[in-house]
Amino acid sequence: MAFATELTTILESGAGLVVGTVSTDGTPRADRAWSASVVDADSRRLRFVMSADDLAVVDNLQGAMVSLTGAEVVTYRSVQLKGRPVAIEAPTAADVELARLHSERFFDAVHRSDGNPVESLRRMLPHRMVAVEMVVEESFDQTPGPSAGSALAGATDG
Amino acid sequence: MGELNLPDIERCFGGAIPAVLATASADGIPNVTYISRAHRVDDERVALSNQFMSKTSRNLAGNPRASLLLMDPVTHDEFRLSLVYERTERRGPVFDRLRADIEALAVLENMQDVYRLRAADVYRVVAIEQNPPNPLGALPSEVPVGRRPSPELSGVAELAGRIGRAGDLDVVVDTTLEGLDRLLGYRHTVLLLLDEGGTRLYAIGSHGFDTEGVGAEVTLGTGQIGLAAERCEPLRIGGLQTMKKYARTIRREYEQQGVGPGRELPVAEIDGVQSRIVVPAMARGELVGVLVAESRRPVAFGAADEQVLCIVASLLASAIEHVRAAERNGPDEDVPGPAADPSAVPVGPGGELAIRFFAVDGSVFVDGDYLIKGVAGRILWSLLRAYVADGRVDFTNRELRLDTSLDLPGFKDNLESRLILLKRRLDEREVPIRLEKTGRGRFRLDVSASPRLESVD
């Protein structure tokens, strides 16, 4: 699956991860995610851990669509995945460890690219996280440029 | 908007850390993307460049709400802004700011011909919340306190830009005085320039008065204006009405002894003036003129006003000196004007106009009314003589400089200032004689009457 390959490549570089959710009244919300991994490429299942300091985001996830965008820090190569959550739960120990590893990789990439001190970047980390498992319905190349928004796997414009 | 305001998070708009924008379609599908930079439009709005955000644009058409994550590049504090899309701009100052950003980016890769701003989307900010910073992270040892924007600073910056774009002295004067009113709230202002001899100031323009009062003169060291000019130091005065009452008493006492005030044209002054501030306009360490502002409030001007007006006066002085230098060296001066027609009969469409010239001080009276004196008076007399004798209407600054009857000093003759003064005085008095600039160092005399000249030695 194209999304799995793209996402894995981007994640390995220490990508920045951001999440878009929508409340029941249609208000969008931007948050950060701290890890993502492909659970099963064939069934297009993906798991990510995101900030949940404001529990409103957990409400947003219930039965609604969600978007996850990952972007390489240096190249801005980006992918956006859209789908419906199938599980919303407290992060497991493995989730927490993966989030720790990925966030450090992300901070290191930012530090090497832009010079931001890692110890300051850690202020971005959330106090509370939630793990989300989703089925990817659409995937898009989100790299800035004329192709931004084109479908990764024959899907529609993003 | 809650406790936080856009000016509080100014550093987030520097573009050092990409922002994150989330929108949603009308049927509830979110879209989340990184954007290179958000711009603050004013205290309630932000603008985002619309480059590759076709999905975002479609979402906004059906659902105008958006969520923007911004990060302070120093503290790494993160802020979530709730936005409502207002409009898309394809021209104007906001668009230009964002376009400059895009062009700066494009030029790095020589892509300026293809990578262009399509539109600037303007959003109203309805809420700002800060994500609680995690104590696992540390603040940098030194968090610089950024200079906070202020209306005064913005006004001065805008006025500096306008003065810098002004191409001639007439425009410099009007731009400055009007800008002081509109951008900085100084409703009543006068600009006086130092004369060629360095002993007197003459008013070349004013704003916010019933009469412009151009041509009014002040001797250096005399009165508040003259004193500030002589010392090259700002002077602030409040409670002028009280001071005036006192001064009137003294004047009455003198008058009883047969000593009266002079008969010079007074500098423009608002009725009931209570406060006045006079700041010197200096360039290259020399006095060029003074800027005067007045108010009816008892103590209207403070230290900050002094600073603001000193900055503007300094910019103004440099601009004036620059224009003067350009006029003196202007290439247009070598271009001859239309040849005079010796057979021309200088009869204007109006009636006869009695022009009386007093050589002793260069004063000119029109139909018995005082018009102007000094260098400007001698210039007018010289022009009218050429007009009556040869029918000439086109002149150059250079030929005026060679005219010994004007008694111009060889260095720093201030000719351009005198011409502007003459032009404004003619306009103000509604004399049927006008001066019109026709190019750098060139001008035309427009006479719509039949002048009858008389010189009194």
Side-chain angles (χ1 to χ4, degrees):
Chain A
M1 286 293 164
F3 91 86
T5 310
E6 277 294 311
L7 181 65
T8 304
T9 306
I10 285 172
L11 285 173
E12 283 173 354
S13 71
L17 296 168
V18 291
V19 181
T21 59
V22 189
S23 68
T24 50
D25 70 354
T27 304
R29 178 187 168 98
D31 282 281
R32 292 188 184 273
W34 299 99
S35 75
S37 56
V38 178
V39 177
D40 179 23
D42 291 337
S43 60
R44 305 176 67 85
R45 286 172 80 92
L46 175 77
R47 187 176 179 89
F48 62 90
V49 174
M50 67 177 293
S51 302
D53 287 339
D54 183 350
L55 290 174
V57 74
V58 179
D59 294 336
N60 286 1
L61 290 163
Q62 307 291 338
M65 290 287 282
V66 63
S67 290
L68 173 76
T69 294
E72 284 186 359
V73 171
V74 176
T75 65
Y76 293 113
R77 180 182 175 186
S78 310
V79 59
Q80 179 167 205
L81 311 172
K82 297 186 181 184
R84 202 167 290 277
V86 291
I88 304 158
E89 56 198 19
T92 64
D95 287 327
V96 172
E97 177 59 12
L98 190 59
R100 189 189 67 77
L101 287 172
H102 181 81
S103 60
E104 286 301 311
R105 198 183 294 163
F106 169 60
F107 295 151
D108 185 56
V110 172
H111 173 68
R112 281 188 281 112
S113 169
D114 305 328
N116 305 54
V118 170
E119 57 273 22
S120 288
L121 291 168
R122 291 195 186 106
R123 285 166 58 82
M124 296 166 63
L125 288 168
H127 298 252
R128 185 164 45 200
M129 296 189 288
V130 64
V132 181
E133 204 160 305
M134 70 185 272
V135 174
V136 176
E137 297 177 12
E138 297 173 300
S139 53
F140 305 97
D141 178 358
Q142 209 64 42
T143 308
S147 302
S150 59
L152 268 185
T156 55
D157 176 26
Chain B
M1 220 153 60
E3 290 181 5
L4 280 169
N5 294 297
L6 289 179
D8 298 327
I9 58 170
E10 188 67 36
R11 278 197 298 248
C12 298
F13 297 101
I17 295 181
V20 180
L21 179 70
T23 57
S25 63
D27 55 352
I29 301 174
N31 192 79
V32 64
T33 182
Y34 283 97
I35 57 173
S36 59
R37 183 177 182 180
H39 292 254
R40 182 162 81 87
V41 174
D42 53 34
D43 286 357
E44 296 177 350
R45 288 171 186 80
V46 296
L48 308 178
S49 62
N50 188 335
Q51 282 305 102
F52 308 117
M53 302 196 298
S54 55
K55 184 66 184 176
T56 297
S57 296
R58 286 201 295 274
N59 282 354
L60 291 173
N63 177 0
R65 286 168 288 188
S67 175
L68 183 70
L69 278 184
L70 293 174
M71 181 162 287
D72 184 315
V74 177
T75 62
H76 296 96
D77 287 336
E78 192 163 49
F79 304 89
R80 181 178 294 97
L81 280 61
S82 299
L83 311 177
V84 175
Y85 167 76
E86 267 194 354
R87 64 186 187 272
T88 293
E89 295 192 356
R90 291 183 171 81
R91 63 180 70 85
V94 174
F95 179 85
D96 289 343
R97 268 173 58 198
L98 271 62
R99 182 174 62 181
D101 229 34
I102 296 291
E103 286 175 351
L105 204 65
V107 80
L108 292 175
E109 296 292 331
N110 202 23
M111 295 287 286
Q112 54 270 36
D113 291 338
V114 291
Y115 186 28
R116 288 181 172 166
L117 181 65
R118 292 196 311 195
D121 291 338
V122 179
Y123 300 78
R124 187 164 49 84
V125 180
V126 294
I128 303 175
E129 58 174 318
Q130 182 178 0
N131 284 341
N134 195 306
L136 282 174
L139 270 174
S141 54
E142 278 189 35
V143 179
V145 179
R147 185 167 285 114
R148 294 181 66 83
S150 72
E152 290 79 10
L153 201 54
S154 302
V156 168
E158 173 62 26
L159 184 52
R162 291 184 188 182
I163 293 171
R165 289 190 293 274
D168 67 45
L169 192 58
D170 211 14
V171 179
V172 167
V173 173
D174 284 344
T175 297
T176 304
L177 299 184
E178 191 177 311
L180 281 168
D181 180 355
R182 295 192 175 203
L183 299 168
L184 293 160
Y186 297 104
R187 304 274 176 257
H188 312 284
T189 50
V190 185
L191 174 65
L192 298 99
L193 298 183
L194 188 67
D195 75 355
E196 299 76 9
T199 58
R200 294 174 74 81
L201 298 156
Y202 56 95
I204 195 167
S206 67
H207 180 88
F209 297 90
D210 293 335
T211 57
E212 200 174 5
V214 291
E217 294 194 0
V218 173
T219 304
L220 245 63
T222 302
Q224 294 153 352
I225 294 173
L227 197 62
E230 186 183 59
R231 293 178 178 174
C232 291
E233 287 177 1
L235 193 66
R236 275 186 276 145
I237 314 112
L240 272 169
Q241 291 304 316
T242 306
M243 290 176 72
K244 281 189 167 191
K245 276 192 294 184
Y246 184 72
R248 271 196 295 271
T249 304
I250 295 173
R251 172 180 156 175
R252 274 197 299 271
E253 292 298 309
Y254 272 111
E255 282 176 341
Q256 284 170 8
Q257 294 178 21
V259 181
R263 297 184 60 190
E264 293 185 335
L265 193 63
V267 175
E269 179 181 298
I270 51 172
D271 286 339
V273 60
Q274 283 280 23
S275 299
R276 179 178 294 134
I277 181 167
V278 188
V279 297
M282 312 270 296
R284 295 184 299 182
E286 294 182 4
L287 184 72
V288 174
V290 295
L291 191 56
V292 183
E294 293 187 346
S295 170
R296 292 188 178 91
R297 287 185 288 130
V299 188
F301 305 114
D305 295 289
E306 194 174 302
Q307 290 162 350
V308 164
L309 289 169
C310 279
I311 293 170
V312 173
S314 180
L315 292 166
L316 180 59
S318 297
I320 289 170
E321 286 299 282
H322 186 77
V323 168
R324 283 173 171 169
E327 293 278 2
R328 279 195 287 270
N329 304 316
D332 291 0
E333 289 194 29
D334 292 329
V335 181
D341 179 0
S343 64
V345 180
V347 177
E352 190 176 88
L353 198 64
I355 311 287
R356 211 158 184 227
F357 175 68
F358 291 83
V360 63
D361 61 355
S363 58
V364 174
F365 288 72
V366 177
D367 283 342
D369 292 330
Y370 170 74
L371 177 71
I372 203 159
K373 69 174 182 176
V375 174
R378 286 195 286 273
I379 290 173
L380 179 61
W381 180 248
S382 175
L383 299 177
L384 286 172
R385 279 200 309 167
Y387 173 76
V388 169
D390 305 325
R392 284 192 60 200
V393 293
D394 289 301
F395 300 88
T396 66
N397 294 12
R398 176 165 291 178
E399 68 182 287
L400 287 182
R401 287 202 162 87
L402 298 173
D403 185 344
T404 52
S405 72
L406 300 182
D407 205 18
L408 289 171
F411 177 65
K412 283 199 165 185
D413 55 34
N414 288 356
L415 177 63
E416 290 74 21
S417 314
R418 293 300 187 177
L419 281 169
I420 299 296
L421 170 64
L422 177 57
K423 173 185 179 299
R424 288 168 176 247
R425 187 71 179 150
L426 290 167
D427 293 345
E428 184 183 52
R429 301 299 295 172
E430 298 181 342
V431 175
I433 303 169
R434 292 289 191 275
L435 284 184
E436 181 193 352
K437 193 176 170 78
T438 52
R440 179 171 287 177
R442 301 173 63 192
F443 62 94
R444 179 167 295 155
L445 188 70
D446 178 14
V447 183
S448 53
S450 303
R452 179 172 50 81
L453 307 186
E454 180 191 358
S455 177
V456 180
D457 292 327

